[in-house]
Amino acid sequence: MLKSGQINLDDSFILTGPQTALAELKNMLLQFHFVIVIAEKVHYTITNSELNLITSCPETISAAIFLKERQWIPSTVLTMSKVLESRANWRRPVLIEDDERKAIIGILTAEEWIQTLQVENKKVTAYFHTLAETVNDAVTAVDQEGKVICWNTTAEKTYGINRENIIGRKIGDYFEAEDVVLHRILNEGFPVRQAYHRPDSNTHVLINASPIIQDNSIIGGVATEHDITRIVRLNEELYGSMPQLVHPEKPFSSIIGVSPEIKEALQIAQKTTSAEIPVLLVGEPGSGREMLAQAIHYGSLKKNAPFLSVHCISVPSGLLEVELFGYQRKAFTNEERVGQAGKLEQASGGTLFITDIDRMPFDIQVKLSDYLEHQSFLRIGATESVQTQTRIIASASPRIDELVQEGHFHKDLYYQLSVIKIDVPPLRERMEDIVELVQKFIREFTIKYKKTMPNIAPAVMTALLNYDWPGNVRELRNVVERFILLNDGMITTEHLPRGIVNFSQSIHTNDIPSPDEPLVKNKDITIKDEPLMIEEALRKTYGNKSAAAKLLGISRGTLYNKIKEFGLDSNS
C-alpha cells in the first residue's frame, strides 16, 4: 500500500570525494543538509548536525582520514522499490537511488522513515477496522498469543460481549479452547472454511478462518463468523418433516402414471420395499422423486418408523454435516457435555431421504460412504461412535454418472447407493399422464379451497399438453392450484401463466390426415377397441380433439378420420 510519493526524501545534499579537506567539507555542510563522500563505491553520509565533529579536527586532513579515524558507518543505497523489502542499517541515513539512472536522488533518515511507517500503520489499521465493520459477519482477529486485537460490532451482537471488555484479553478467557477455531489456526496454521459452530444453544454460525503469516511465521489469525441461525430455523420449519405426499396405506396408488417409463420405475420401487438396501432415485427436480421415496418407505415394514429428509441444496455446506451426523461438544459456560443428534440418528430404524445428493460436499460423501459400510459414525466433536440402522434413499440429477466419471462424486458412495437405481422420467417424456394428473390436482385443490368442480375450456388442455414442463409434475401441480384459485366456474387460457400459452401457440403444426395410421401400436388391441379409446380420450380432454390426438399418440388428421369412420361426430 505504501507508495514512493508518500515518502519525504531530503534532496539537500552534495557529493564529494575522499580527498576533500575538512575545511571544504565544513563549508559544504553550511550550505547543504548532507554531504555524501564516495570512496571506492562506498557511500558515507555526514549530516550538518555532525558539523561539530568536523570542527574539532584539523581542517587540513582529508575526509578519508577523518572517516577512518572515526570508524564511520557507511550508508545503505537502495532504490525506492527496495526500501520495504531490504534490511537497511538505519543508524545512518539511507541513500535512495533512481532505478534507471542509478544516481542518488534523495536521503531518507531513520526519523523520517519511522514517521512514515507510523502514518502508514494508522492508515492500514483504519482500512482493516473499516472493512471489519463493513461486512455483515462477526470478525475476530488475535495475535500470536491469542489476544483479541479486533472485535467488530457484529461480534458484539452475536456473542453479547462488548468490544472494550475483550480487546487485549485472550480469547480463551471467554470461550473453551477446544471450541475456538483460532486456537487451532495458531497451532496448526491451516485455514478453515465453512466450519459449523454453535457458540450457544440459540446461535448457529459458519466460520472461515485463516492464519496471518509474516516471514513464514504465524503472527496471528483472523476469523469471520456468519450467523446462520435464521437459515437453520427456517430450514427446520420447511424441511423438519417432509409433508406426506402419498397415502400411507396404499402409497403407490398415489402415484399416477400410465407411460411405460413410470410404470417400470414403480415396479422396481415396489420390489425394493422388502429390502433394507439403499435406493438411488435419478431424475429432474419436481419429477416425483419425493413421492417415490415416500412410497418405498410406507410400502415397507418400516412404515411406522421415522421418515426424515435432508436437502443438500437448501442446507449450507458447513451445516450439512451437522444435519446428517449431529454434534457433541462442551458448552461455553460450563463443563457439561451438550449435543444434538443428526437426521441419520433421528431416523434410526426408519428411512432418511437425502435429496440432490450429487450436490453434497465431497468430504461429507466420504463420511456417508463410511457409514454405509460400517453402520456407525462419529458426531462432530465426539470420540465415541454411534451405531444406527437407517435406510438411505437418495435422489440425484441425471448428471450423477457424469460427475462420478469426472471425479466430482465419490465412486464408492455411488456404487453403494446404486445397487437399486431407479430412473424417474421427466413429465415431458410421459405426456400421456398429464390429463390424469390434472384431474387429480383439480380434485385436490377444489377440496382444499372449498370450490366447485370447474369446467375446462378445450384450449386449456391443449396448452397443457403442448407445454414441455421444465418444472415437471411440481410445476403442473402449481399451475392447477393457480387456476383453481383464480377461476369463477370456467377455466380458460386467461387463468394459465402467459409462458405456457405462448409456448403452445408457438408450436402450431399442420397435421396431414393419415387414415392408415394405427391408433395404437399394441397388437393385442383390436379395431373394436378403438372407438372406446377415442371416446375415453375425448372425455378426458373435455372434447378437445387436438389434446385427445396428443393423448392417443396420433395426428389430429388421423383422429378426425377415425371419428368420421366410427360415426362418433355426435359424441365428440
Side-chain angles (χ1 to χ4, degrees), residues 33 86 114 121 142 199 262 265 314 353 363 454 475 547 553 562 565:
H33 295 163
S86 303
I114 290 172
N121 181 61
V142 298
I262 196 65
S314 66
F353 179 45
D363 57 331
E475 184 182 6
K562 296 288 185 182
E565 178 184 347

Side-chain angles (χ1 to χ4, degrees), residues 290-307:
E290 296 84 354
M291 289 188 71
L292 199 56
Q294 287 192 11
I296 294 171
H297 171 78
Y298 289 108
S300 71
L301 296 177
K302 296 175 176 287
K303 63 181 181 180
N304 294 321
F307 178 88

Side-chain angles (χ1 to χ4, degrees), residues 119-158:
V119 172
E120 188 63 22
N121 181 61
K122 288 182 180 179
K123 186 185 296 184
V124 172
T125 302
Y127 272 103
F128 176 76
H129 286 290
T130 301
L131 176 62
E133 289 298 327
T134 301
V135 299
N136 293 325
D137 297 343
V139 177
T140 307
V142 298
D143 62 15
Q144 63 267 40
E145 296 178 355
K147 291 181 180 179
V148 178
I149 58 176
C150 178
W151 185 261
N152 73 345
T153 303
T154 305
E156 289 184 312
K157 294 177 180 177
T158 301

Side-chain angles (χ1 to χ4, degrees), residues 175-388:
F175 304 103
E176 291 288 345
E178 67 178 35
D179 287 323
V180 178
V181 172
L182 285 172
H183 277 182
R184 190 160 76 249
I185 292 291
L186 294 176
N187 292 330
E188 301 175 4
F190 297 111
V192 171
R193 295 292 178 265
Q194 295 290 293
Y196 173 78
H197 181 47
R198 194 168 182 178
D200 56 54
S201 59
N202 297 317
T203 308
H204 306 259
V205 299
L206 289 179
I207 300 177
N208 288 306
S210 298
I212 301 172
I213 299 175
Q214 184 179 48
D215 297 330
N216 296 320
S217 298
I218 299 173
I219 64 170
V222 62
T224 62
E225 302 181 29
H226 183 62
D227 192 339
I228 58 169
T229 304
R230 290 180 61 188
I231 298 175
V232 171
R233 289 176 180 166
L234 180 61
N235 180 69
E236 290 172 350
E237 291 177 10
L238 292 176
Y239 305 112
S241 58
M242 180 184 290
Q244 194 160 301
L245 303 173
V246 299
H247 193 286
E249 299 303 322
K250 299 178 180 179
F252 287 96
S253 66
S254 303
I255 302 175
I256 291 175
V258 297
S259 68
E261 295 84 2
I262 196 65
K263 281 185 174 180
E264 181 183 1
L266 290 173
Q267 287 172 359
I268 297 174
Q270 285 175 313
K271 291 178 181 179
T272 67
T273 56
S274 59
E276 296 291 324
I277 56 178
V279 178
L280 180 62
L281 307 177
V282 177
E284 298 176 3
S287 59
R289 299 174 303 179
E290 296 84 354
M291 289 188 71
L292 199 56
Q294 287 192 11
I296 294 171
H297 171 78
Y298 289 108
S300 71
L301 296 177
K302 296 175 176 287
K303 63 181 181 180
N304 294 321
F307 178 88
L308 300 179
S309 63
V310 170
H311 294 242
C312 294
I313 293 180
S314 66
V315 180
S317 59
L319 179 60
L320 184 58
E321 186 177 2
V322 178
E323 280 279 290
L324 279 170
F325 302 103
Y327 76 96
Q328 187 79 45
R329 62 181 64 213
K330 285 185 179 181
F332 283 98
T333 55
N334 54 56
E335 293 299 315
E336 295 179 5
R337 301 296 293 184
V338 296
Q340 176 178 302
K343 293 287 182 67
L344 199 57
E345 197 174 343
Q346 294 173 35
S348 181
T351 303
L352 179 63
F353 179 45
I354 304 176
T355 67
D356 298 299
I357 197 168
D358 48 319
R359 301 288 291 274
M360 177 183 285
F362 199 87
D363 57 331
I364 304 179
Q365 294 176 28
V366 174
K367 190 169 182 177
L368 181 61
S369 175
D370 186 69
Y371 164 73
L372 289 172
E373 182 177 352
H374 301 103
Q375 296 296 294
S376 65
F377 62 90
L378 286 174
R379 286 181 176 183
I380 295 175
T383 55
E384 296 181 3
S385 62
V386 176
Q387 297 281 337
T388 183

